[in-house]
Amino acid sequence: MRKKKLLIEFHGWKINYFANKIILKALKEKFKPNVEVDAYITYPSFFSDTLYKNFIDSIILFLGTFLKIKTFKFYKSELDVNKIFKPKIKRKYKIRSQNFCEKFFKNKISKGQFFKLKIKEIYIGDLLFDSYIKCNSEARVDVDSKEFKIFFRNFLSLFYFWEDYFRTNDVKAVITHHNTYLSGIPARIAVYKKAKSLIDQDFKLFQLTKKNLKPQLHVRDYKKNFNKFNSKFKKKALQRSNLLIDEKFKGSLRNVYYMLKTPFGKNFTKKRVIEKNKKFKIIIFPLSFYDSPSGYGGSLFYDFYDWLIFILKLSLKTNYDWYIKLHPDVLIKWDYMNYTIVKNILKDFKNIKWLAPSVSHKQIINEGINAGLTVHGTVGSEYPYFNVPIVNASKNNPHMMYDFNYHPQTKKELEKIVLRLHKIKKKKINKKEILEYFFMSQILPNYNWLGIDMRELIKNVKDKTSYFKSEDVYNLISKKVNEKKVLKSLKDFLNTDN
């Protein structure tokens, strides 16, 4: 008889630990009796391990579990995990992978075919691409490279391991923080095996379904759900949104807990950053090459690198005044590689003017920028507020249900819009739509399904650059949560497929 299992990702994100504890408590109650909890390890270097590294890892895993050291202690003592394991890729999985590849590579396979790949009806192409970028620290996916083909074989071997795990165990639920990358494979299989697939992310809790394989796709329902509210509530919601969005544009980080520095700072540079001339002025906002390009379900491009090169080449066909700016936190807490790669790319595009990541959006807007380009960045709900149009490069983006952005459906349409932006009659932007979006995305969720204001907690953390790994945050959360109340609402949630 197959054992009943709850499967949870083993990770060091302490900010999620208390939530994981409550989720497991509710799931154990739901699927009792005799349900075991297994924790799995699939870090980015999973496939690059040498025999020596594998040996060392096995020693760490044994000693960590036996002696209950650090993270192992929490998983064993607090989560009552039965087993902590790293998937073992047996020879039989490698053979199955090799056999698949021999058939698969008989014909020339395009990037699109890889991205759309399904095995036994389970869609895995997006996980493959995001995992390759993350694990190999590659800015783009080159499906013809030797490195990618090796990774593809290894990825399939891991997929077959998990397929076997689900066959030999009665998996009732999978809980993960990252539903992308390698850790997302069991979460994806769970959806197709009709097990609970739960993502605890950004203080929100999601259940994945075949219709919504990505937690971010809940944005599709923003407009529909807002319209369900009565007129009185809508009015108050928009007033609240108007107040907080005004705070944001004055430099407040109240609703952007994850940022260390406001992109709307009051300190302008002494020298203009946007040249004073009669040319049409357009700015590019690249996203991190390594941060799950298919997070919203995929864009017009299979990675952010290809989008950037497409736009830069397009810039050569125009007489616009071109600028580029990276995320303000880029050199504070993440993405030195991103910074370096973009700088190197720009050596071949002298027409693009570099703006320091620290330059305020306020200054850029005040000095007369005419339009902006992104794949699916937050600027899509910011610049339009000041009547500056933004062109997305993703059909799946946070603002997809609203008209305050341009949403091209093909690369050809994207090119056409960019080349004609200076001629297109300026889009009439409905600010009420932006306020509605801001309410649904930033205020209503409030980042606290646990019933507490997480942003206030983060203020009390000593090291803001790594709050998600902070012991302080876990201790503060455990003191603040009304566990009985949260468990009740959580049990109701788990009895639905919402």
Side-chain angles (χ1 to χ4, degrees):
M1 186 176 175
R2 297 188 306 160
K3 290 182 178 179
K4 284 193 287 186
K5 295 279 188 179
L6 301 176
L7 194 58
I8 186 168
E9 179 188 0
F10 184 90
H11 60 74
W13 293 62
K14 294 183 176 66
I15 199 164
N16 294 98
Y17 282 1
F18 196 82
N20 289 164
K21 186 176 177 180
I22 291 181
I23 293 167
L24 280 176
K25 196 169 186 177
L27 288 170
K28 283 179 180 178
E29 178 68 24
K30 180 176 177 63
F31 295 112
K32 66 181 182 182
N34 305 323
V35 59
E36 295 179 355
V37 181
D38 285 356
Y40 67 96
I41 303 171
T42 47
Y43 37 73
S45 63
F46 184 80
F47 295 133
S48 59
D49 290 351
T50 61
L51 287 173
Y52 174 74
K53 179 73 164 53
N54 278 325
F55 173 72
I56 296 298
D57 281 350
S58 64
I59 296 297
I60 292 172
L61 182 56
F62 172 78
L63 291 177
T65 304
F66 182 73
L67 299 175
K68 297 181 180 178
I69 301 167
K70 294 185 177 179
T71 304
F72 293 94
K73 180 182 179 181
F74 177 81
Y75 274 76
K76 292 296 288 183
S77 302
E78 297 293 321
L79 298 186
D80 194 25
V81 164
N82 180 62
K83 180 173 70 173
I84 301 170
F85 71 96
K86 178 183 171 184
K88 189 174 181 181
I89 308 302
K90 296 178 182 177
R91 187 168 177 270
K92 65 177 181 177
Y93 305 134
K94 293 179 181 178
I95 291 172
R96 286 172 71 184
S97 173
Q98 184 63 36
N99 290 340
F100 180 93
C101 288
E102 284 176 5
K103 293 177 184 176
F104 192 64
F105 288 121
K106 278 184 179 178
N107 300 308
K108 172 77 173 172
I109 307 298
S110 70
K111 203 167 182 176
Q113 285 173 298
F114 271 108
F115 189 79
K116 294 169 185 173
L117 181 65
K118 292 182 180 181
I119 295 184
K120 296 182 181 178
E121 299 304 312
I122 300 175
Y123 173 49
I124 59 169
D126 59 329
L127 300 179
L128 169 66
F129 275 30
D130 284 0
S131 297
Y132 175 75
I133 286 171
K134 186 74 171 179
C135 295
N136 289 50
S137 297
E138 291 283 352
R140 69 183 295 264
V141 178
D142 179 1
V143 296
D144 295 318
S145 70
K146 180 183 175 182
E147 291 77 15
F148 177 78
K149 288 177 180 177
I150 291 170
F151 184 86
F152 180 54
R153 289 188 180 92
N154 289 332
F155 182 90
L156 289 177
S157 297
L158 181 59
F159 174 83
Y160 289 131
F161 165 86
W162 283 119
E163 186 183 51
D164 214 26
Y165 182 93
F166 275 77
R167 182 181 59 80
T168 55
N169 295 284
D170 182 13
V171 180
K172 296 297 185 183
V174 177
I175 308 155
T176 181
H177 178 70
H178 293 105
N179 67 300
T180 51
Y181 316 129
L182 300 179
S183 57
I185 298 176
R188 181 65 56 82
I189 293 174
V191 171
Y192 287 84
K193 298 291 183 182
K194 296 182 180 178
K196 290 285 182 186
S197 186
L198 300 168
I199 313 298
D200 179 30
Q201 189 179 84
D202 290 341
F203 315 128
K204 302 186 187 91
L205 183 62
F206 301 92
Q207 293 192 93
L208 301 186
T209 64
K210 287 183 184 178
K211 184 182 176 183
N212 283 323
L213 288 173
K214 305 280 185 179
Q216 289 84 351
L217 288 177
H218 71 292
V219 299
R220 290 172 176 163
D221 298 325
Y222 280 173
K223 205 173 184 71
K224 180 180 72 177
N225 287 342
F226 188 81
N227 286 331
K228 290 179 181 177
F229 300 134
N230 62 45
S231 299
K232 187 178 179 181
F233 184 88
K234 284 181 187 176
K235 186 178 178 181
K236 284 185 176 180
L238 294 177
Q239 286 172 345
R240 179 73 173 158
S241 195
N242 191 53
L243 177 69
L244 293 184
I245 206 169
D246 186 55
E247 282 184 8
K248 176 182 176 176
F249 294 141
K250 285 179 179 175
S252 170
L253 290 175
R254 184 175 178 179
N255 281 86
V256 277
Y257 68 91
Y258 57 87
M259 293 189 70
L260 298 173
K261 188 175 181 180
T262 175
F264 288 91
K266 298 174 184 176
N267 297 325
F268 289 11
T269 61
K270 291 181 180 178
K271 188 178 177 182
R272 282 183 68 96
V273 293
I274 305 299
E275 291 186 9
K276 206 168 185 178
N277 56 46
K278 293 182 179 180
K279 288 185 177 181
F280 187 85
K281 299 164 180 60
I282 189 166
I283 186 167
I284 306 165
F285 295 106
L287 299 173
S288 169
F289 296 130
Y290 312 100
D291 190 13
S292 185
S294 66
Y296 279 93
S299 70
L300 302 181
F301 301 83
Y302 299 116
D303 50 59
F304 296 145
Y305 185 97
D306 282 356
W307 167 78
L308 181 58
I309 296 299
F310 178 90
I311 294 298
L312 293 176
K313 286 181 178 178
L314 202 56
S315 74
L316 300 175
K317 298 179 181 181
T318 75
N319 191 36
Y320 300 161
D321 203 5
W322 285 86
Y323 299 86
I324 192 167
K325 180 186 176 321
L326 299 183
H327 194 284
D329 284 352
V330 69
L331 293 179
I332 301 175
K333 65 176 181 178
W334 58 285
D335 251 349
Y336 289 90
M337 289 190 296
N338 210 60
Y339 182 94
T340 305
I341 289 169
V342 173
K343 280 288 222 177
N344 285 333
I345 291 172
L346 292 181
K347 289 176 183 177
D348 295 325
F349 296 91
K350 304 295 185 184
N351 62 317
I352 309 292
K353 299 174 182 71
W354 170 268
L355 298 187
S358 58
V359 171
S360 172
H361 286 315
K362 268 188 177 179
Q363 181 171 359
I364 295 168
I365 293 165
N366 287 356
E367 291 182 4
I369 202 73
N370 296 117
L373 306 177
T374 182
V375 176
H376 57 232
T378 56
V379 290
S381 63
E382 296 165 344
Y383 274 56
Y385 192 82
F386 300 95
N387 294 308
V388 179
I390 291 290
V391 184
N392 290 294
S394 176
K395 290 182 279 188
N396 301 302
N397 69 73
H399 329 102
M400 61 199 288
M401 304 309 293
Y402 296 95
D403 293 329
F404 52 78
N405 282 179
Y406 287 101
H407 305 290
Q409 300 298 295
T410 64
K411 290 181 186 178
K412 192 171 182 180
E413 188 185 350
L414 171 62
E415 180 175 0
K416 186 178 177 181
I417 290 172
V418 173
L419 294 179
R420 295 186 68 249
L421 265 174
H422 64 301
K423 293 180 180 178
I424 298 174
K425 186 179 178 182
K426 204 164 188 180
K427 198 178 180 75
K428 189 174 181 181
I429 293 168
N430 182 352
K431 284 192 178 180
K432 277 183 72 175
E433 276 203 331
I434 299 175
L435 294 176
E436 179 185 312
Y437 167 78
F438 189 78
F439 178 79
M440 295 301 291
S441 65
Q442 303 294 319
I443 301 173
L444 187 64
N446 207 24
Y447 303 108
N448 61 2
W449 71 271
L450 292 173
I452 54 176
D453 192 334
M454 302 300 290
R455 295 158 299 183
E456 290 300 317
L457 289 179
I458 290 168
K459 283 181 186 176
N460 297 316
V461 178
K462 295 171 187 174
D463 184 4
K464 298 289 192 298
T465 61
S466 58
Y467 66 85
F468 47 86
K469 292 183 178 179
S470 168
E471 195 86 37
D472 295 343
V473 167
Y474 172 75
N475 292 330
L476 286 167
I477 292 171
S478 60
K479 290 174 184 174
K480 294 275 185 180
V481 172
N482 182 334
E483 192 171 326
K484 188 176 179 181
K485 185 178 178 181
V486 172
L487 269 172
K488 185 180 182 304
S489 62
L490 180 57
K491 285 175 183 177
D492 292 340
F493 175 64
L494 293 173
N495 284 328
T496 73
D497 291 320
N498 292 337

